[in-house]
Amino acid sequence: MDESNNQHLLQDQKSSSITKRKLRLMISLLTLFTLIIASIIYSSIILKQETESKSLSFNPIAAITSVCDLISEDSYSCFDSIASFYYAQTPSLDKISPFRIFIFSLYASRIELENVAASLQNAMSGVHVNPKSVGVLRSCQGMIEFSLKQINEAEMSLGVDPDEKIWGFNEVVWDLQRWVGEAMGKVQTCVDLSKGIPENVRVEIREKSIVALQNLRNSKGILQNVEEIFGLFYPRIGSALGSLVWEFEYGLTVWLFCFGYLLLIFLFCMLLRVY
C-alpha cells in the first residue's frame, strides 16, 4: 500500500514538474513571440519609411529630372520649364505625381505660346514691316492662336482637380496626344514660314516659337511614355524590395523582417506542440 502511494506521489511530482517546465517554456515562448511581433512591426515601419524616401513621389526634383531624362534630348531645358511651375506652388508640394508633371508641362507650353503671340502682335505693329512680312505674321498669328486653343482644350478636359485614374483610359490619352500634336504641327509650320521675313523681325519670334515647340514636345513625350513613367514612380513590390536588399543600410531591415517572420512561424508551431 505504501509502495503504491509512493508511486502515485512520484508520478504526481513528475507530472507537476513537467507541467511547470511546459509553463515556463510557454511563458518564454510567448515573451519571445511578443518581442518578435514588435520587431516585425518596427521593421515594417522602417521599411515603409525607407521605401517612401526612395520613391520619386516623395522626391519632386528627382521625379522631374527622371521624367525629363526619359522624354527629352534636352533634359536641362525640360527640367527648367517644368520645375519652374513646381517651385511656384504655394505652399510647395511635398509629393508629386506623373499627372502633376504633365500638367506643369502644359502650363509651360501655354505660357510660351502666349509669349509668341505677343511677339507676333508687336512685330505687326512695327513701322518697318513690309506687306509680305505682315501676311506671314498674320498666318503665324492664326496658327499660334489655334495652338493655344488646343492646349486650353487639353487643360479644360482635365478639369480643376483631375483624378489620376484617367490615365487608365486610352481615349483620354489619345485626345491629349491629338491636341498637343496639332498644336506642335502649327507651331512648326510657323517656324518654317518665319524664314521668309526679315531677320530683325524673325529672330525673336523664331526663338520663342522653338522654345514653345520644345515644351510641347515635353508634353507629348510624357503622353507617349505613360507606362514607363508610371514604372519609375510605382515600381513593383518585388523589384522595390530587391533593390533595398542589395543596399546594406536597407538590406539589414529587410533581412530582419524576413528572419523575424520565419522565426514567428517556428515559435507558433512550437506553441501548438507544447499545448
Side-chain angles (χ1 to χ4, degrees), residues 59-218:
N59 294 277
I61 302 304
I64 297 172
T65 300
S66 298
V67 170
C68 285
D69 287 341
L70 176 66
I71 67 170
S72 177
E73 295 180 357
D74 188 357
S75 58
Y76 293 105
S77 66
C78 170
F79 176 86
D80 289 341
S81 65
I82 294 175
S84 61
F85 288 93
Y86 165 73
Y87 290 128
Q89 297 297 299
T90 306
S92 182
L93 299 173
D94 293 327
K95 292 180 62 178
I96 200 167
S97 66
F99 196 81
R100 182 57 56 185
I101 292 177
F102 173 70
I103 294 292
F104 289 159
S105 76
L106 280 183
Y107 291 166
S109 299
R110 176 167 51 79
I111 293 298
E112 289 303 328
L113 287 171
E114 289 172 352
N115 290 338
V116 176
S119 294
L120 286 168
Q121 185 60 47
N122 292 335
M124 286 188 292
S125 302
V127 294
H128 301 296
V129 181
N130 59 57
K132 181 180 178 181
S133 296
V134 170
V136 173
L137 292 172
R138 288 191 187 281
S139 296
C140 273
Q141 186 180 43
M143 293 175 189
I144 298 302
E145 288 176 353
F146 175 83
S147 298
L148 275 168
K149 178 183 175 182
Q150 298 305 91
I151 297 304
N152 288 332
E153 194 77 29
E155 291 180 358
M156 289 176 61
S157 72
L158 299 176
V160 178
D161 187 19
D163 188 342
E164 195 158 339
K165 292 180 181 178
I166 67 172
W167 283 114
F169 299 98
N170 288 332
E171 294 81 2
V172 174
V173 176
W174 291 337
D175 283 341
L176 292 171
Q177 285 184 351
R178 176 172 59 82
W179 288 319
V180 173
E182 289 174 351
M184 284 178 60
K186 294 299 183 181
V187 176
Q188 183 62 62
T189 301
C190 182
V191 170
D192 295 337
L193 286 176
S194 67
K195 297 175 183 178
I197 60 178
E199 185 175 357
N200 62 324
V201 178
R202 181 179 70 236
V203 173
E204 180 182 346
I205 295 172
R206 183 178 175 83
E207 287 179 353
K208 291 183 178 180
S209 297
I210 289 174
V211 174
L213 193 59
Q214 181 59 51
N215 289 344
L216 289 166
R217 287 196 184 103
N218 295 337

Side-chain angles (χ1 to χ4, degrees), residues 15-29 271 273-275:
S15 176
S16 176
S17 177
I18 292 173
T19 301
K20 288 180 179 179
R21 284 201 301 269
K22 283 186 176 182
L23 183 60
R24 285 196 297 268
L25 180 60
M26 287 186 68
I27 292 173
S28 299
L29 290 175
L271 279 174
R273 185 178 179 182
V274 169
Y275 183 77

